[in-house]
Amino acid sequence: MFARGSGSLKKATAVAHVSIRVEKHGSRFTAERPAVHCHHFSSEYGGPGRTPVGSSENRENRPPSSAEAKQKRESDRQFLISVLESSATKRDAKAYLQTFGSERAASGEKTPAFTTILHSSIPGNKDVPLFVQGPVRVSVADSSEVPHVAIVKLREPQAWCDDLLDGVAKTLTQLRDLGLRSVVVLDCGLDQTQGRAWREVVSQQSDRLIKAIGRHRSPGAELVDSGIWKTNGTSQKHPSVESTNLFVGFGKAFTMPLRHGHILVVPPRALSETLGHEPADANEIVFALTNFFSGLQFDKQSLMEEKPEFGEDGHHLRKAVVDRIIVIDPYGGIPSIRQGDGARVFVNLDEEFDNLRAALATHKHDDVPKAMPGLTGDPKAKHMENLQLVRNTLAILPSTASAIITSPAEAANLRVSPSPANGATIGQLVGEVKTRRWQNPLIHNLLTDRPIYSASLPIGRVKPSEQNAEVALSRMPTTTLAKKGLPVTIFPDPRAGPWQPPKPGTPRLRLTDTCIDLARLTHLINDSFNRKLDVEHYLARVQDSLAGIIVAGEYEGGAILTWERPFGMDEETAYREGRMVPYLDKFAVLKKSQGAGGVADIVFNAMVRDCFPSGVCWRSRKNNPVNKWYFERSCGVRKLPSSTWAMFWTTPEAATAGRLMGDYEDVCRNVAPSWDDTKPAD
């Protein structure tokens, strides 16, 4: 498990200082690297064969200066701290190793003087990080191995200060060091009819980004200026793929540099059928690259110079595994009304896309970005554009892929420090004062596949309580993690009416109703709790008290909720006096889905948002490891004396309402367990 908290910072600092001393007094390590043979097409850089400024070949033939060595040591130290701060669990580390474990060695690149290597081969310590100091030689992986890729869109980099761009470049190289290689698409956001002025801005920003990446660890970046082609004909559309007239016309311009660890920079233009460059929409380029790397570029093969590659099953071969779509936009993530000036932490696109689109039409989250000079376009339209882009791309990617929409300051791991003296606005201060944030959201997500803040955390546990509004605003998250997600089914449907205690004697939902798959629900509970449910006893117990159930996906997660009454009180009296207690009876997530995909957050949010918005209570064993998760999402917790139970609730006024708290406690003490074993009840 990764270290966390202040202890991790101390440990990271100690390791960093040891490494710096080793590097000062030891010899430099050099590793063999395979020769890179690839084509560079750039009208801006002198045509084919010329390596762009900032790429690794321009820097490897000369010894580093003392300033460069110092900068590298500090970069390594900050990188190690970022990894230590990731708060990844053993499950996260195992999943990361299985996906990216061999990527660090794929290009035969030099390793830094000290690095964090997640090592799974130590007996008894398969899931812990191994801190390796000094020179380490890595082997060159099979050149046919498919690399893991992030397709990154940078919006209006011409409005970013140098500190922001440099910080983003450093983060991209750190992602590459952790096994995720970036293909960066520039979106300069200008009126393309400006002709020469637009072309100059695109060329300047391409060169600026390549130089910034070149300052952080080799291999550097390469410009791919003629890999995207454009056809004027009608695109033949595959049923599951959006239509676009852009496609990858020369694939090796992308695949060969990626295999050798380079970061690719793609300007927003395409080669037309007349062999001239034309402006191209950056979103369409991102989508075309997603199609190409995923092996879904079906109808353009006759125009390509390369023969299509097929696997043994006759399907097109993937050129890379697209694990992340990253949008770095000065407007930040998708705005959240619930979180004030912050962004939505997590978006389940399958369930929330339509509601988000409707909410964006009326949202007023446009104050902060306007303070950054040089931005163009309407904030609402840009948020909608980003949301549509991640939806389209994730629709053709595996369910394990995700998208991140964040701001340049978050991606660069910088935060603002407003100064009351000069009265500057937040946007003007971004990047000017370089103070570390808590965690880098892109690195954290790569190592954990989760957002920094859980989507089910109450706003009070995310938003800092600061008297200074600017300081509080500067510390709000501006990053949104989006996944294709899971459908959520709720019985009875709260859209038809809020859940209310049923009148005694009226029909009610049963777990044996045909709308519920009892066999799958039972398997979900057994797998999640790692014990067997006594189904007959449980059905009898909840027969007259069932309030409803929540099902995420194909029974990957779920909750069973009931209306309980104080011990010894009959149903008629409890209903008449308004003392029916909303109770979370079972909360379950399949083991394979625990910690991934936000399944627990999806179910919990559905419960507190749609089913019991006024509050719900539940119980858990006092020594249950999941209690920390429950505590962070509840309004309160109480350990019940003379019992093994801890009681939780989300009802804001419960702690000051004596009778309500008494009813909650009475229910949590007396609900009978329904397990088919003799272990203590959960």
Side-chain angles (χ1 to χ4, degrees):
M1 183 182 294
F2 290 108
R4 67 178 72 191
S6 60
S8 67
L9 291 176
K10 293 178 181 178
K11 186 174 182 180
T13 304
V15 173
H17 284 308
V18 169
S19 171
I20 292 171
R21 289 197 296 271
V22 169
E23 185 167 325
K24 281 183 178 179
H25 301 292
S27 59
R28 295 187 60 82
F29 168 67
T30 56
E32 295 179 0
R33 290 180 61 252
V36 179
H37 300 287
C38 56
H39 298 276
H40 305 285
F41 293 84
S42 174
S43 59
E44 307 298 331
Y45 291 95
R50 182 173 179 182
T51 304
V53 175
S55 66
S56 60
E57 287 79 0
N58 285 338
R59 303 186 298 115
E60 289 184 348
N61 294 327
R62 61 177 177 81
S65 66
S66 59
E68 288 175 334
K70 181 178 180 181
Q71 182 186 43
K72 179 179 178 298
R73 288 194 299 270
E74 176 60 19
S75 177
D76 287 344
R77 176 179 175 275
Q78 298 289 357
F79 179 36
L80 177 57
I81 292 173
S82 294
V83 174
L84 285 169
E85 286 180 329
S86 67
S87 300
T89 65
K90 290 184 179 180
R91 185 188 293 115
D92 297 329
K94 183 177 181 180
Y96 166 80
L97 283 166
Q98 290 174 342
T99 304
F100 300 99
S102 62
E103 283 298 302
R104 293 180 55 84
S107 65
E109 62 187 279
K110 300 179 202 175
T111 62
F114 71 97
T115 184
T116 303
I117 299 178
L118 295 173
H119 190 59
S120 60
S121 62
I122 305 174
N125 294 281
K126 291 187 176 181
D127 297 323
V128 297
L130 176 65
F131 298 101
V132 180
Q133 302 172 29
V136 178
R137 182 178 293 274
V138 294
S139 59
V140 179
D142 183 354
S143 61
S144 63
E145 183 179 355
V146 176
H148 290 265
V149 167
I151 302 178
V152 184
K153 188 184 87 164
L154 305 188
R155 197 174 81 80
E156 302 201 32
Q158 68 272 20
W160 305 4
C161 67
D162 291 340
D163 288 332
L164 279 182
L165 190 68
D166 185 75
V168 170
K170 181 171 73 173
T171 295
L172 295 178
T173 61
Q174 291 173 343
L175 292 176
R176 191 260 314 278
D177 290 343
L178 289 169
L180 187 67
R181 305 167 193 190
S182 298
V183 179
V184 185
V185 178
L186 298 182
D187 180 1
C188 293
L190 298 174
D191 184 358
Q192 298 173 357
T193 61
Q194 294 180 1
R196 181 178 178 83
W198 180 84
R199 291 194 297 270
E200 287 180 354
V201 170
V202 169
S203 298
Q204 289 169 0
Q205 297 310 311
S206 300
D207 181 60
R208 185 173 171 234
L209 177 60
I210 289 171
K211 287 180 178 178
I213 294 172
R215 288 191 288 269
H216 300 281
R217 213 190 304 278
S218 63
E222 293 192 0
L223 184 76
V224 182
D225 201 9
S226 296
I228 301 295
W229 294 7
K230 182 178 182 179
T231 176
N232 294 326
T234 303
S235 173
Q236 187 179 16
K237 183 180 178 182
H238 188 268
S240 63
V241 179
E242 292 288 327
S243 177
T244 177
N245 62 351
L246 299 183
F247 64 99
V248 174
F250 184 58
K252 288 185 178 180
F254 294 95
T255 57
M256 291 189 69
L258 279 175
R259 289 177 189 271
H260 296 296
H262 290 80
I263 295 171
L264 304 185
V265 177
V266 184
R269 52 193 172 210
L271 198 64
S272 68
E273 293 178 352
T274 61
L275 300 183
H277 281 102
E278 294 183 4
D281 183 81
N283 295 321
E284 290 196 30
I285 294 177
V286 171
F287 189 75
L289 288 169
T290 306
N291 278 340
F292 168 72
F293 287 127
S294 303
L296 297 176
Q297 187 168 267
F298 298 101
D299 60 327
K300 308 299 191 306
Q301 300 290 350
S302 59
L303 299 175
M304 296 176 67
E305 297 179 359
E306 314 152 56
K307 294 182 179 179
E309 300 177 73
F310 297 92
E312 295 180 358
D313 58 358
H315 290 89
H316 288 68
L317 289 178
R318 291 185 301 184
K319 308 300 189 300
V321 178
V322 180
D323 288 287
R324 299 290 188 276
I325 302 294
I326 301 175
V327 179
I328 304 178
D329 189 320
Y331 290 126
I334 305 302
S336 169
I337 298 176
R338 185 179 70 89
Q339 293 190 184
D341 295 304
R344 289 188 68 99
V345 174
F346 176 75
V347 172
N348 175 8
L349 288 168
D350 191 286
E351 185 72 17
E352 299 179 89
F353 178 80
D354 290 336
N355 290 338
L356 280 177
R357 182 168 54 183
L360 283 172
T362 58
H363 198 66
K364 298 180 180 180
H365 182 85
D366 57 0
D367 298 330
V368 175
K370 283 185 175 179
M372 182 181 285
L375 292 181
T376 62
D378 174 48
K380 295 178 185 177
K382 294 303 179 183
H383 285 310
M384 189 64 244
E385 179 184 300
N386 292 338
L387 189 65
Q388 189 71 52
L389 172 64
V390 300
R391 187 201 194 196
N392 291 345
T393 50
L394 292 180
I396 61 175
L397 293 174
S399 60
T400 53
S402 55
I404 303 171
I405 307 173
T406 189
S407 67
E410 290 268 321
N413 214 25
L414 304 176
R415 79 172 175 195
V416 300
S417 296
S419 172
N422 57 24
T425 63
I426 294 293
Q428 292 168 336
L429 287 159
V430 169
E432 292 181 6
V433 180
K434 298 175 285 300
T435 306
R436 278 193 50 79
R437 288 195 59 90
W438 302 276
Q439 297 177 30
N440 186 312
L442 300 184
I443 291 177
H444 174 87
N445 174 259
L446 179 63
L447 294 173
T448 68
D449 196 27
R450 299 195 304 271
I452 288 178
Y453 300 106
S454 171
S456 58
L457 277 177
I459 181 59
R461 301 192 186 275
V462 177
K463 187 172 184 177
S465 55
E466 296 282 351
Q467 294 183 349
N468 188 318
E470 285 192 348
V471 173
L473 178 59
S474 71
R475 295 180 181 175
M476 283 298 294
T478 58
T479 299
T480 297
L481 172 65
K483 284 182 173 288
K484 190 182 302 184
L486 300 168
V488 178
T489 307
I490 303 177
F491 303 106
D493 191 342
R495 292 173 297 185
W499 284 13
Q500 299 289 344
K503 187 176 181 180
T506 58
R508 61 197 64 190
L509 183 70
R510 309 280 193 214
L511 289 179
T512 52
D513 289 349
T514 56
C515 62
I516 299 171
D517 191 329
L518 181 58
R520 298 179 77 177
L521 182 61
T522 302
H523 170 72
L524 166 63
I525 294 171
N526 292 347
D527 181 77
S528 178
F529 285 86
N530 200 30
R531 63 192 306 185
K532 188 175 180 180
L533 183 72
D534 185 338
V535 178
E536 290 186 9
H537 181 276
Y538 189 68
L539 290 177
R541 186 175 74 75
V542 302
Q543 179 176 353
D544 294 323
S545 61
L546 187 66
I549 73 167
I550 303 168
V551 177
E554 297 296 324
Y555 287 82
E556 294 173 57
I560 301 176
L561 302 120
T562 59
W563 292 107
E564 303 291 342
R565 56 184 187 270
F567 185 70
M569 182 177 291
D570 64 87
E571 185 180 11
E572 184 73 38
T573 302
Y575 178 80
R576 185 178 63 253
E577 295 182 3
R579 296 180 67 179
M580 300 293 286
V581 174
Y583 181 70
L584 171 60
D585 191 88
K586 290 288 183 289
F587 186 91
V589 178
L590 289 177
K591 284 190 179 71
K592 68 176 183 178
S593 301
Q594 291 175 6
V599 178
D601 288 332
I602 290 171
V603 175
F604 194 89
N605 278 339
M607 177 182 72
V608 298
R609 180 187 60 208
D610 302 321
C611 302
F612 287 140
S614 298
V616 61
C617 71
W618 66 96
R619 72 184 185 184
S620 174
R621 280 180 293 109
K622 291 179 181 179
N623 61 347
N624 192 338
V626 82
N627 284 349
K628 180 179 183 295
W629 194 89
Y630 286 150
F631 173 77
E632 291 174 339
R633 286 152 184 78
S634 65
C635 290
V637 59
R638 174 182 292 181
K639 293 183 179 180
L640 303 182
S642 304
S643 79
T644 61
W645 300 115
M647 178 179 73
F648 300 85
W649 62 90
T650 62
T651 314
E653 70 277 6
T656 58
R659 192 178 76 168
L660 180 62
M661 184 60 68
D663 289 348
Y664 280 8
E665 182 173 338
D666 200 38
V667 167
C668 289
R669 282 184 180 275
N670 293 290
V671 167
S674 300
W675 298 112
D676 191 17
D677 55 40
T678 58
K679 294 192 301 182
D682 285 302

